[in-house]
Amino acid sequence: MVNVGILGATGMVGQRFIQLLDNHPDFEITALAASSRSAGKKYVDATTWYLNEEMPESVKDIVVCETNPEDMDNDVDIVFSSLPTEFAAKVEKDFAKDYVVASNASAHRMKKNIPLVIPEVNPQFLDMIDLQQKENNWDGFIVTNPNCSTIALTLTLKPIVDNFSVNAIRVSTMQAISGAGYNGVPSMAILDNLVPYIGSEEEKMESETLHLLGDYDGEKVVNADFKLSASCHRVPVIDGHTEAVFVELDDEFDIDDIKDKMSSFKALPQELNLYSAPENPVIVKDEMDRPQPRMDRNAGNGMSVTVGRLRKEQAFDNGFKYVLVGHNTIRGAAGASVLNAELINERIL
Amino acid sequence: MVNVGILGATGMVGQRFIQLLDNHPDFEITALAASSRSAGKKYVDATTWYLNEEMPESVKDIVVCETNPEDMDNDVDIVFSSLPTEFAAKVEKDFAKDYVVASNASAHRMKKNIPLVIPEVNPQFLDMIDLQQKENNWDGFIVTNPNCSTIALTLTLKPIVDNFSVNAIRVSTMQAISGAGYNGVPSMAILDNLVPYIGSEEEKMESETLHLLGDYDGEKVVNADFKLSASCHRVPVIDGHTEAVFVELDDEFDIDDIKDKMSSFKALPQELNLYSAPENPVIVKDEMDRPQPRMDRNAGNGMSVTVGRLRKEQAFDNGFKYVLVGHNTIRGAAGASVLNAELINERIL
Amino acid sequence: MVNVGILGATGMVGQRFIQLLDNHPDFEITALAASSRSAGKKYVDATTWYLNEEMPESVKDIVVCETNPEDMDNDVDIVFSSLPTEFAAKVEKDFAKDYVVASNASAHRMKKNIPLVIPEVNPQFLDMIDLQQKENNWDGFIVTNPNCSTIALTLTLKPIVDNFSVNAIRVSTMQAISGAGYNGVPSMAILDNLVPYIGSEEEKMESETLHLLGDYDGEKVVNADFKLSASCHRVPVIDGHTEAVFVELDDEFDIDDIKDKMSSFKALPQELNLYSAPENPVIVKDEMDRPQPRMDRNAGNGMSVTVGRLRKEQAFDNGFKYVLVGHNTIRGAAGASVLNAELINERIL
Amino acid sequence: MVNVGILGATGMVGQRFIQLLDNHPDFEITALAASSRSAGKKYVDATTWYLNEEMPESVKDIVVCETNPEDMDNDVDIVFSSLPTEFAAKVEKDFAKDYVVASNASAHRMKKNIPLVIPEVNPQFLDMIDLQQKENNWDGFIVTNPNCSTIALTLTLKPIVDNFSVNAIRVSTMQAISGAGYNGVPSMAILDNLVPYIGSEEEKMESETLHLLGDYDGEKVVNADFKLSASCHRVPVIDGHTEAVFVELDDEFDIDDIKDKMSSFKALPQELNLYSAPENPVIVKDEMDRPQPRMDRNAGNGMSVTVGRLRKEQAFDNGFKYVLVGHNTIRGAAGASVLNAELINERIL
C-alpha cells in the first residue's frame, strides 16, 4: 500500500478525495492537511461534511496537520492537492521536494516540465517528470490535471482528433454549482436563474484543451492546431457539467463513424486496468433527451463522460454537434488526480 | 377601440395575452374562446390562473365561447391565437375568412403568403396579405410570429446583418420551463437537472431565422444566406430564454462597432411609437455576469432583449460571441402577436 | 428463492421495487406486470427509467405481462403492488386468490382483516391474515403498508408511545415531489414556490398513525388514543419527506430520555435480521441543522428515519418538538412493502 | 416632503427601502449610508443591485456617506436602518440623538421604552417614545419592527386574539432564502434540499409575538398570555415566508367566524389611509392549494398577508389550522419600517 496525504482535506474536493480513496486497493490515507484553524483536531471534528455519502470511518480520527511538508507524516508518498490557486503556487513546490504531488489546483498547469495529464489522452506527458526533477533538484514532482470542463470536453475529443482532422470547435457549457465550491454560488444568485459567466473558465478551456491534445516532443508541447471558442455558464444543477459542442471537421465524415470511434474509445488506463479507470471513458447514448446531469453524472462511478444527441449539422457540410455530461468533482477534479496517481504508481513509482 | 378576441384564452400564453391587453389604449378584449369544457362559464370560473400578477377584473365576467367563428361575437376585429399546432391548422383558417388572426401558433408559419413577422425585423412581409386574401378569398387574414427562441435571436442579429456580412452562426440555448406550457415539464425532470432536447426547436430556429432575415420580393421569400446551427436545452428557470451566440463574419470588425449597432438599433415600431414597442429592442449590458434571466427578462416590460458578454473570439479572426436573454412568453409569444397586431392596426386596418 | 412479481412495474415506485429487489438474497423477480400499452414488450423497451441508478441487467429482458392473475407466471409467490388506487381496489383482490399481495396502494388500507403494517411497529397485525383468507376463501392474502408520511412519523413515535403517555401531536410536513409520481408536480408549480396542499394526505396521516399504534385484539383494531393534527405541504425537493413534529405528553419528561428511547429503538425486523431492515430504524442527530432531505434520505439505505433538533418546548411544560426526514419512495413506499414481504416470508410462508 | 436616509443602503433590505421609497408621496431619499468601502462613491457605482426591478434613477447619483450622524446630511429627519445587529446596537443610538430611527434591525427590539410596532397591531406602543426621549435625553428616538416571520404571523393572529380566547399556538415555517441576506444561503445548501434551522428565529417568534399582542400600560408591556411554540425551516423559495399555524382556542368556535374576522380586519393604518397600508392586511383565499409564496407574496404590493386552508382540526374540539404567506423583505422588513415611519409622520412629527 502507498501512503497518501490530502492537502485541503476539509474542502469539497478534499472530501471527494477521501470518498474516492476510501477502500482503494493501492492507496491508504494516512495524512490530512488543512488550515491552521483545523490543524490539531480530529478530521471528524474539523470538518463540515458536504457529501451525501457518509464520511468514511477510516478518516474520522485522523488528526489534521498543517499544510506544509514538515508537519506531514514522512511515510507519505503521494499528496493530493485541492488547494486554492494562490496558496498552491507556493505550497505544492515545497511538497515536491520530497513528495509526489497530484494536483487539482490550477497554479502549475501548463508550466514548463510540469505535466498536465488526462491518462486516457496524453500519458506521454509524464515524460516531463525527469526534466522537472533535474531542473528543480527535487526528489518528488508535480503532476496536474486540467480544469473540470476541459477534462470532459477533451475526453470526448480525443477519439475524434485521433481519427479525423478537426478544423474548429465551439462549446457552450452549463456548469454545476459545486464547481464553485460549497460557498461559491449564493442561492439568491441561481434559483430561477443562471449566470452566464465563470471567471477564467473560458480561457482555461481554450488553452488547456489544445495543450492536452498536442504533442510533447521531449522538450516542449506543441498545441493541437484547431480553433476553439468557449462560452461558459452556471446553472442550478448540483453536480455534473453539461456542454453543447459544435465540431467542424476539414473533411466529409459519416456520423456513425464518429459515434463508433467515441463508443469504442479505450486507452492506457483501460489497458492497465487502473482501479479508477472506467470501462468506457466515453459512453454514447441514443435516447433523444440524454445526457442529463442528474441521470448521467454517476456513469462509470463518475469517471465516464456521457455523450448524446450526436448529429450532423444541416448547415455545415463537415459539421456535427453533440451534448456531453461529466461529473465535475469526480472525473473533473478529485477523480482526475486519483487516476493520475494510479498511472504514476503503475508506471513510475 | 378595436375589439379583440383570444383563442386558447385559458392557457398560459392566453393569460399573457390578457395581461398584455389589459388597459391597452387601442384594443379591448371582448371575446375569450377556449375548449368546450370551459365554454359557457365565466372566465374567472373556467380558468386556473398561472401568472404572478392578478387576473384583470375586466375579463373575469366574460363568458367563454367555443373556438369557432360562429360562436365568436361578430364585433371582434382581431383574434389572437395561442392554439395548439394541430388545432390551429384548421381553426385559424376558419377565422381568417372574417377576422384578422394574429397567431403565436406554428401551424401557418412560413406558409406561402402568410407573413411570419417581427415588426422590428421584416415588417415588409405584411405585403403578402393581399395575395393571401385573394388566393383564399378571405376577408380576414393570418399573420404569425416566430418561435420564442427565434425571436430573441433574430432581434439581436438584425442590426448585425444590416451592417456586416455574416458567414456562420452557432447558438446554444438555455430555455425556460414556461416555454413548454404549464404542464410541459414535470418537476421530477428538471430539478437539479437540465434536459438537452426540445422537440422541433432547433429546426424552427434554423429555418425561421433565415426566413425572417431574408427578402420578400413581392412573390416569395429569399432566405438570408448565412449558415446557422442550433443546440437547444431546457433549464430550471421559470421565464426567460438565455442563448449563447457565436457569430463568424466574413470580414474583420471592431467589437465596439457591433455593440454600438446593437445598442442604437431602432426600427419601425419605435418610429411609429407602437404601444408595446420597447424603447430599445436590444439592450447591451457591460456587467461581466449579465444578462441573467431572472434579472433581465422584464427589461422593456418583457419586450426588450438583453445582450451581454459581447466579446471577440480569440481563436477566430472574424468571430465574436455574446449571450442574450429574452422573455419567452412576452416578447417570445403573446407580446410578439400583440406587437404584430399593433403594426397591422396602424398600417392596414 | 421466492419468485416475485411487480404490479405497476414501469412506474416510479415500480422502479424502486426493481432496484430494491435486485440482488435480494431471498426474492427473485420473475414477472413484471404493467398496462396493456407495455404488455408484450421487454421491460427495457417498455420503460422510461427514472432513477439515477442504472436499470438492473436482470430485468431488462423480462417480457412485461398484463396486470391480471391469468397472465402472471404461476411460479410467482409474492406480488408487489404499486397500482393506482382505483385500479388496485379490484386487481389486488383478484391476485389475492392465489398470491401474497404486498401492496403500497391505499385501496385496502385499514379494511377489515387486511393488515396495515410497519414491521417495527405492529407486526402482530399479520394475525389478521387467517381471518382474511377464511372470510374471502382466498389462498393468498393482502398486506398493505401505510402512506409515506405516516410511515416516517410512526416509526419515530413508536419508541415514544411505548415509553410515555402521549396527549397530542401536531405535524407539519414538507414533502418531496417524487411522492406525487413522475408527472405529478409540474415544474411551473413548484420552482421558487411550494404548494400547501396534498390531496387526502392529512386524512391519511391522521387516521393511519392512530391505527398503526393501536392494538389488535384478534378481532378488531383499537386506535391509539392521542390526538393528531397534520398540515401537509409540497416543497421543491426530489426525494425525502421532512416533518416538523410537536408532541405534548401527559407528564413531565426528560429530553435525553426521549432521545435515548429513539436512538436505541430496535424491533422485530432487527431481531430477525431481515435483509432490508436498517440497523437503526431511527437515527438521532445532534448537529444543529440536521436532518436535511438531500443529506439524510439515504440513511440506512433509505430505510432509516433521521431525527434532529429534538428539543423541549419552552411554552409547554410537557411538550417537545423535533424534525424528521425519511425517504418517501424507499422507506415510505417500495421498501415498506419489501420489508413487509420479508417479514411474511420469515414468519408465514 | 420629509427627507429620509437609509443606513445599510447597499444591502438587500436597503435596496428594498429604496424601491419602496421611490415615488413616495411624503418621503424623499436624500442620504444613503453604507460601509467605508462604499462611502464617497455614487450609489450606482457602490452597489451590486439585487432586485428584479431596476434601480430607481433618483438614487443613482447620490453619494454614499459613512454610517454615522456626523456624515449624514442634517436636513434628514428619518433614517431607516437595516444594519447588522451588532453594528445597529451602537449606531442606532448615535442617530437617535437627533433623528427618528425606523429600524428593521433586531438590536433594540423589546428594549425598555423602545416601541416594537406593527401599525395594525399595537400602534399604542408608540406612547413609549416620550419616556425613551426623556430617559436618554434624545431629540430623536428609535422605533423597531419585528422579525419577518413574526410580522406575518402576528398580523393574522390579531383579529383572532381580538375576538376569541387563544390557548395555544404551534407554528411551523417554510422561509425564503432572501431572509438570510444575499450571501446567507449557499446554493449547495438548499438546492434539492431544505434546512430545518434558522439561528434565533424560533426564539424571536416565540417572544416577539406575545409582546406585540400584549398590552402597554404606560410603563411596561404585559405579554399576551397564550402559549406559542415555533419550528423554523429554510426552503428553496426566493421571497415569501410560508407558515403552517395550529391554533387552539379556549372555547368552541365557528370556522366561518374566524374567516370573517380575518377577512374584514382593518386597523389604524387603513383608517389613516397611510400610503403603504394595504387595503386588507389579511386576505383569506378559498382555493384549495393557496397561499403559495410565488403567487401570493406580492398581494397588496407585498404588504398583505395571504391566508388559506383555514379549517377546523378534527382531533381538537377547539382547534383550527391555516397556512399563511407574507413577503419577508417587504411586509417582513423594509415595508414594515416604512409603514412605521408613515404612522409616526402622521401622528408624531
Side-chain angles (χ1 to χ4, degrees):
Chain A
M1 294 292 278
V2 176
N3 290 344
V4 303
I6 298 170
L7 312 183
T10 57
M12 237 175 47
V13 173
Q15 298 185 13
R16 280 282 182 210
F17 274 125
I18 287 172
Q19 180 200 13
L20 296 175
L21 293 168
D22 188 43
N23 295 318
H24 195 285
D26 304 317
F27 298 149
E28 181 169 0
I29 301 173
T30 57
L32 298 171
S35 70
S36 304
R37 209 178 47 247
S38 300
K41 296 183 192 165
K42 286 185 181 180
Y43 185 74
V44 68
D45 298 324
T47 305
T48 303
W49 186 254
Y50 299 131
L51 304 184
N52 298 1
E53 304 80 9
E54 292 280 306
M55 182 188 292
E57 286 300 322
S58 59
V59 298
K60 287 188 176 171
D61 291 338
I62 295 180
V63 176
V64 175
C65 68
E66 296 273 351
T67 311
N68 58 59
E70 296 76 48
D71 290 289
M72 175 75 64
D73 182 329
N74 53 17
D75 283 347
V76 165
D77 289 308
I78 301 175
V79 294
F80 293 98
S81 164
S82 59
L83 295 173
T85 305
E86 329 72 57
F87 192 42
K90 158 130 187 32
V91 170
E92 291 183 357
K93 285 184 176 179
D94 293 343
F95 273 93
K97 290 172 192 162
D98 291 302
Y99 299 89
V100 175
V101 179
S103 174
N104 182 54
S106 64
H108 297 106
R109 285 183 200 154
M110 302 199 297
K111 293 278 175 65
K112 190 164 185 311
N113 292 333
I114 298 187
L116 176 73
V117 172
I118 302 173
E120 283 93 342
V121 174
N122 61 336
Q124 75 279 14
F125 282 34
L126 291 181
D127 295 347
M128 292 176 191
I129 291 172
D130 274 354
L131 288 172
Q132 183 192 144
Q133 291 185 311
K134 275 179 205 152
E135 193 171 57
N136 292 287
N137 202 17
W138 287 343
D139 291 331
F141 57 86
I142 300 174
V143 171
T144 64
N145 55 260
N147 166 278
C148 46
S149 310
T150 304
I151 294 177
L153 175 64
T154 304
L155 271 170
T156 65
L157 291 181
K158 175 65 174 166
I160 298 172
V161 167
D162 281 352
N163 293 283
F164 305 89
S165 175
V166 174
N167 180 318
I169 291 174
R170 271 86 171 187
V171 56
S172 172
T173 70
M174 293 164 274
Q175 299 184 223
I177 53 174
S178 61
Y182 193 79
N183 290 298
V185 182
S187 53
M188 286 296 294
I190 204 77
L191 202 56
D192 179 24
N193 204 19
L194 62 86
V195 180
Y197 176 73
I198 301 174
S200 302
E201 192 81 0
E202 296 169 0
E203 292 79 357
K204 288 177 188 169
M205 290 192 78
E206 295 179 358
S207 60
E208 294 178 4
T209 305
L210 297 178
H211 180 93
L212 289 157
L213 292 167
D215 286 321
Y216 176 62
D217 63 6
E219 285 193 16
K220 62 179 189 312
V221 173
V222 180
N223 275 5
D225 71 347
F226 56 83
K227 288 160 277 179
L228 173 57
S229 176
S231 190
C232 294
H233 319 94
R234 187 79 67 195
V235 295
V237 166
I238 297 174
D239 284 315
H241 286 355
T242 305
E243 308 181 16
V245 187
F246 303 83
V247 181
E248 201 170 352
L249 299 180
D250 286 314
D251 308 296
E252 289 192 13
F253 65 95
D254 179 60
I255 193 75
D256 290 332
D257 199 11
I258 303 283
K259 181 183 167 184
D260 183 57
K261 292 294 186 291
M262 282 185 168
S263 292
S264 62
F265 174 53
K266 306 250 178 181
L268 187 59
Q270 284 72 36
E271 285 165 35
L272 296 177
N273 216 4
L274 298 180
Y275 177 67
S276 302
E279 190 182 331
N280 294 293
V282 181
I283 294 169
V284 183
K285 293 219 157 205
D286 291 324
E287 291 92 330
M288 203 162 57
D289 60 355
R290 300 291 277 268
Q292 297 176 12
R294 200 178 80 227
M295 304 300 280
D296 293 306
R297 59 194 173 203
N298 290 323
N301 293 319
M303 292 295 285
S304 294
V305 175
T306 303
V307 164
R309 304 212 65 225
L310 181 61
R311 59 214 191 277
K312 272 190 77 92
E313 285 183 308
Q314 297 307 312
F316 297 89
D317 288 343
N318 302 333
F320 65 93
K321 47 192 173 183
Y322 61 94
V323 178
L324 70 83
V325 164
H327 197 301
N328 55 304
T329 65
I330 298 180
R331 175 51 100 153
S337 294
V338 170
L339 192 61
N340 277 353
E342 290 171 0
L343 179 59
I344 289 165
N345 188 41
E346 180 76 22
R347 280 297 165 93
I348 298 180
L349 297 192
Chain B
M1 294 292 279
V2 176
N3 290 343
V4 304
I6 297 169
L7 313 182
T10 57
M12 239 176 43
V13 173
Q15 297 185 15
R16 281 282 181 208
F17 274 124
I18 288 172
Q19 180 200 14
L20 297 174
L21 294 167
D22 188 42
N23 295 318
H24 195 284
D26 304 316
F27 299 149
E28 181 169 1
I29 300 173
T30 57
L32 297 171
S35 69
S36 304
R37 209 178 46 246
S38 300
K41 297 182 191 165
K42 286 184 180 180
Y43 185 73
V44 68
D45 298 325
T47 305
T48 303
W49 187 253
Y50 300 131
L51 304 184
N52 298 1
E53 303 80 8
E54 291 280 306
M55 181 188 291
E57 285 301 321
S58 60
V59 299
K60 287 188 175 172
D61 291 338
I62 295 180
V63 176
V64 175
C65 68
E66 297 272 353
T67 311
N68 59 59
E70 297 76 48
D71 291 287
M72 175 75 64
D73 182 328
N74 54 18
D75 283 347
V76 166
D77 289 307
I78 301 175
V79 293
F80 293 98
S81 165
S82 59
L83 295 172
T85 305
E86 329 73 58
F87 192 43
K90 158 132 187 29
V91 170
E92 291 182 358
K93 286 184 175 177
D94 293 343
F95 275 91
K97 289 173 192 160
D98 291 302
Y99 299 89
V100 175
V101 180
S103 173
N104 182 55
S106 65
H108 297 106
R109 285 183 200 155
M110 301 199 296
K111 293 279 176 64
K112 189 162 185 312
N113 293 333
I114 298 187
L116 176 73
V117 173
I118 302 173
E120 283 93 341
V121 174
N122 62 335
Q124 76 278 17
F125 282 32
L126 291 181
D127 294 347
M128 293 177 190
I129 290 171
D130 275 353
L131 288 171
Q132 183 192 144
Q133 290 185 312
K134 274 179 205 152
E135 193 171 58
N136 293 286
N137 203 17
W138 288 343
D139 291 332
F141 56 86
I142 300 174
V143 171
T144 64
N145 55 260
N147 165 279
C148 47
S149 310
T150 304
I151 295 176
L153 175 65
T154 304
L155 271 170
T156 65
L157 292 181
K158 176 64 174 167
I160 298 172
V161 166
D162 281 352
N163 293 284
F164 304 89
S165 175
V166 174
N167 181 318
I169 291 173
R170 270 86 171 187
V171 57
S172 172
T173 70
M174 292 165 275
Q175 299 184 224
I177 54 174
S178 61
Y182 193 79
N183 291 298
V185 182
S187 54
M188 286 296 294
I190 204 78
L191 201 56
D192 179 23
N193 204 18
L194 61 86
V195 180
Y197 177 74
I198 301 174
S200 301
E201 192 81 0
E202 295 169 1
E203 292 79 357
K204 288 177 188 168
M205 289 192 79
E206 293 179 359
S207 61
E208 294 178 5
T209 305
L210 296 178
H211 181 93
L212 289 157
L213 293 168
D215 285 322
Y216 177 62
D217 63 6
E219 285 192 17
K220 64 180 186 311
V221 173
V222 180
N223 275 5
D225 70 349
F226 56 83
K227 288 161 277 179
L228 173 58
S229 176
S231 190
C232 294
H233 319 94
R234 187 79 68 194
V235 295
V237 165
I238 296 173
D239 284 316
H241 286 355
T242 306
E243 308 182 16
V245 187
F246 303 83
V247 182
E248 201 170 351
L249 299 181
D250 286 314
D251 308 296
E252 289 191 15
F253 65 96
D254 178 60
I255 192 74
D256 290 331
D257 199 14
I258 303 283
K259 182 184 167 184
D260 183 57
K261 292 294 187 292
M262 282 184 168
S263 292
S264 62
F265 175 53
K266 306 250 178 183
L268 187 58
Q270 285 72 37
E271 285 164 36
L272 296 175
N273 216 3
L274 298 179
Y275 177 67
S276 302
E279 191 183 331
N280 293 293
V282 181
I283 294 169
V284 183
K285 294 220 157 205
D286 291 323
E287 291 93 327
M288 203 163 57
D289 59 355
R290 299 292 278 268
Q292 297 176 12
R294 200 179 80 227
M295 304 299 281
D296 293 307
R297 60 194 174 205
N298 290 323
N301 293 318
M303 291 297 284
S304 294
V305 175
T306 303
V307 163
R309 303 214 64 225
L310 182 62
R311 60 214 191 277
K312 273 190 77 93
E313 286 183 307
Q314 297 307 313
F316 297 89
D317 288 343
N318 302 333
F320 64 93
K321 46 192 174 183
Y322 61 94
V323 178
L324 70 82
V325 164
H327 197 301
N328 55 302
T329 66
I330 299 180
R331 175 51 100 154
S337 295
V338 170
L339 193 61
N340 277 353
E342 290 171 0
L343 180 60
I344 289 164
N345 188 41
E346 180 77 22
R347 280 294 166 94
I348 299 180
L349 296 191
Chain C
M1 295 292 278
V2 176
N3 290 343
V4 303
I6 298 169
L7 311 183
T10 58
M12 238 177 45
V13 173
Q15 297 185 16
R16 280 283 181 209
F17 274 125
I18 287 173
Q19 179 200 15
L20 296 175
L21 293 168
D22 187 42
N23 295 318
H24 195 283
D26 304 317
F27 299 149
E28 182 169 0
I29 301 174
T30 57
L32 297 171
S35 70
S36 304
R37 208 178 47 247
S38 300
K41 296 182 192 166
K42 286 185 181 180
Y43 185 73
V44 68
D45 298 324
T47 305
T48 303
W49 187 254
Y50 298 131
L51 304 185
N52 298 0
E53 303 81 9
E54 292 280 307
M55 182 188 291
E57 287 300 321
S58 60
V59 299
K60 287 187 175 172
D61 291 338
I62 295 180
V63 176
V64 175
C65 68
E66 297 272 353
T67 312
N68 58 60
E70 295 76 48
D71 289 288
M72 176 75 65
D73 182 329
N74 54 19
D75 283 349
V76 165
D77 289 307
I78 301 176
V79 294
F80 293 98
S81 164
S82 58
L83 295 172
T85 305
E86 329 72 57
F87 192 42
K90 158 132 187 29
V91 171
E92 291 182 357
K93 285 185 176 178
D94 292 343
F95 274 92
K97 290 172 191 160
D98 290 301
Y99 299 88
V100 175
V101 179
S103 174
N104 182 55
S106 64
H108 297 106
R109 285 183 200 155
M110 302 199 297
K111 293 279 175 65
K112 189 165 187 309
N113 292 333
I114 297 187
L116 176 73
V117 171
I118 301 172
E120 283 93 342
V121 174
N122 62 334
Q124 75 279 15
F125 281 33
L126 292 181
D127 295 346
M128 293 176 189
I129 291 172
D130 274 354
L131 288 172
Q132 184 193 141
Q133 290 185 312
K134 273 179 206 151
E135 194 172 55
N136 292 287
N137 202 18
W138 288 343
D139 290 331
F141 56 85
I142 300 174
V143 171
T144 64
N145 55 261
N147 167 278
C148 48
S149 309
T150 304
I151 294 177
L153 175 64
T154 305
L155 271 170
T156 65
L157 291 181
K158 175 65 175 169
I160 299 171
V161 166
D162 281 352
N163 292 284
F164 304 89
S165 175
V166 173
N167 180 318
I169 291 173
R170 271 85 172 187
V171 57
S172 172
T173 71
M174 293 164 275
Q175 299 184 222
I177 54 175
S178 61
Y182 192 80
N183 291 299
V185 181
S187 54
M188 286 296 294
I190 204 77
L191 202 55
D192 179 23
N193 204 19
L194 62 86
V195 181
Y197 176 74
I198 302 174
S200 302
E201 193 80 1
E202 295 169 359
E203 293 78 358
K204 287 177 188 169
M205 288 193 79
E206 294 179 358
S207 61
E208 293 178 7
T209 305
L210 297 177
H211 180 93
L212 288 156
L213 292 167
D215 286 321
Y216 176 60
D217 64 5
E219 284 193 17
K220 64 179 187 312
V221 172
V222 180
N223 274 5
D225 70 348
F226 55 84
K227 288 162 277 181
L228 173 59
S229 175
S231 190
C232 293
H233 319 94
R234 187 79 67 194
V235 295
V237 166
I238 297 174
D239 285 314
H241 286 355
T242 306
E243 308 181 16
V245 187
F246 303 82
V247 182
E248 201 170 352
L249 300 181
D250 286 314
D251 308 295
E252 289 192 14
F253 65 95
D254 178 59
I255 193 73
D256 290 332
D257 199 12
I258 303 283
K259 182 183 168 184
D260 183 58
K261 292 294 188 293
M262 282 185 169
S263 292
S264 62
F265 174 54
K266 306 250 178 182
L268 187 59
Q270 284 72 37
E271 285 165 35
L272 296 176
N273 215 3
L274 298 180
Y275 176 68
S276 302
E279 191 183 330
N280 294 292
V282 181
I283 294 169
V284 183
K285 294 219 156 206
D286 291 323
E287 291 93 329
M288 202 162 59
D289 59 355
R290 301 288 280 268
Q292 297 176 11
R294 199 178 81 228
M295 304 301 281
D296 293 306
R297 60 193 172 205
N298 290 323
N301 293 318
M303 292 296 285
S304 294
V305 176
T306 304
V307 164
R309 304 213 65 224
L310 182 62
R311 59 215 191 276
K312 274 190 75 95
E313 286 183 308
Q314 297 307 313
F316 297 90
D317 289 342
N318 302 333
F320 64 94
K321 48 191 173 183
Y322 61 94
V323 178
L324 69 84
V325 164
H327 197 301
N328 55 303
T329 65
I330 299 180
R331 175 52 99 155
S337 295
V338 170
L339 193 61
N340 277 353
E342 290 171 0
L343 179 61
I344 289 165
N345 188 41
E346 179 77 21
R347 279 296 165 93
I348 299 180
L349 296 191
Chain D
M1 294 292 277
V2 175
N3 290 343
V4 303
I6 298 170
L7 311 183
T10 58
M12 236 174 47
V13 173
Q15 298 185 13
R16 281 284 181 207
F17 274 124
I18 287 172
Q19 180 199 15
L20 297 175
L21 294 168
D22 187 44
N23 295 319
H24 195 285
D26 304 316
F27 299 148
E28 181 169 1
I29 301 174
T30 57
L32 298 170
S35 69
S36 305
R37 208 177 48 246
S38 301
K41 297 182 191 166
K42 285 186 181 179
Y43 186 73
V44 68
D45 298 324
T47 305
T48 303
W49 187 254
Y50 299 131
L51 304 184
N52 298 1
E53 303 80 8
E54 292 279 308
M55 182 188 291
E57 285 301 321
S58 59
V59 299
K60 286 187 176 172
D61 291 337
I62 295 181
V63 176
V64 175
C65 68
E66 298 271 352
T67 311
N68 58 59
E70 296 76 47
D71 291 288
M72 176 74 66
D73 182 329
N74 54 19
D75 283 348
V76 165
D77 289 307
I78 302 176
V79 294
F80 293 97
S81 164
S82 58
L83 296 172
T85 305
E86 329 72 56
F87 191 44
K90 156 126 187 36
V91 170
E92 292 182 358
K93 285 184 175 178
D94 293 343
F95 274 91
K97 290 172 192 162
D98 291 303
Y99 299 89
V100 175
V101 180
S103 174
N104 183 53
S106 63
H108 297 106
R109 286 183 199 154
M110 301 198 298
K111 294 279 176 64
K112 190 164 185 310
N113 292 334
I114 298 187
L116 176 74
V117 172
I118 301 172
E120 283 93 341
V121 174
N122 62 335
Q124 75 280 13
F125 282 33
L126 291 180
D127 294 347
M128 294 175 189
I129 290 171
D130 275 353
L131 288 171
Q132 183 191 144
Q133 291 185 311
K134 274 179 206 152
E135 193 170 57
N136 292 286
N137 202 18
W138 289 342
D139 290 332
F141 55 86
I142 301 173
V143 170
T144 65
N145 56 260
N147 166 278
C148 47
S149 309
T150 303
I151 294 176
L153 175 64
T154 304
L155 270 171
T156 66
L157 291 181
K158 176 65 175 167
I160 298 172
V161 166
D162 280 352
N163 292 284
F164 304 89
S165 174
V166 174
N167 180 319
I169 291 174
R170 270 86 172 188
V171 57
S172 171
T173 71
M174 292 164 276
Q175 298 183 223
I177 54 174
S178 61
Y182 193 79
N183 290 298
V185 182
S187 54
M188 286 296 294
I190 204 78
L191 202 57
D192 179 24
N193 205 19
L194 62 86
V195 180
Y197 176 73
I198 301 174
S200 302
E201 193 80 0
E202 296 169 0
E203 293 78 357
K204 287 177 188 169
M205 290 193 78
E206 294 179 0
S207 60
E208 293 178 5
T209 305
L210 297 178
H211 180 94
L212 288 157
L213 292 167
D215 285 323
Y216 176 62
D217 63 6
E219 286 192 15
K220 63 179 188 310
V221 173
V222 180
N223 274 4
D225 71 348
F226 56 84
K227 288 161 277 180
L228 173 58
S229 175
S231 190
C232 293
H233 319 94
R234 186 80 67 194
V235 296
V237 166
I238 297 174
D239 284 315
H241 286 355
T242 306
E243 308 181 17
V245 187
F246 303 83
V247 181
E248 202 170 350
L249 300 180
D250 286 315
D251 308 295
E252 288 192 15
F253 66 95
D254 179 60
I255 192 73
D256 290 332
D257 199 11
I258 303 283
K259 181 183 168 184
D260 183 57
K261 291 295 187 292
M262 281 185 168
S263 292
S264 62
F265 174 54
K266 306 250 181 183
L268 187 59
Q270 285 72 37
E271 285 165 35
L272 296 176
N273 216 4
L274 298 180
Y275 177 68
S276 301
E279 192 183 329
N280 294 293
V282 181
I283 294 169
V284 183
K285 292 219 155 207
D286 290 323
E287 292 92 328
M288 202 163 56
D289 59 356
R290 300 289 280 268
Q292 298 177 12
R294 200 178 81 227
M295 304 300 281
D296 294 306
R297 60 194 173 203
N298 290 323
N301 292 318
M303 291 297 285
S304 293
V305 176
T306 303
V307 163
R309 304 212 65 225
L310 182 61
R311 59 215 191 277
K312 273 190 76 95
E313 286 182 308
Q314 297 307 312
F316 297 89
D317 288 342
N318 301 334
F320 64 94
K321 48 192 173 182
Y322 61 95
V323 178
L324 70 82
V325 164
H327 198 300
N328 55 303
T329 66
I330 299 180
R331 174 52 100 155
S337 295
V338 170
L339 193 60
N340 277 353
E342 290 171 0
L343 179 60
I344 290 165
N345 188 41
E346 180 77 21
R347 281 296 165 93
I348 298 180
L349 297 192

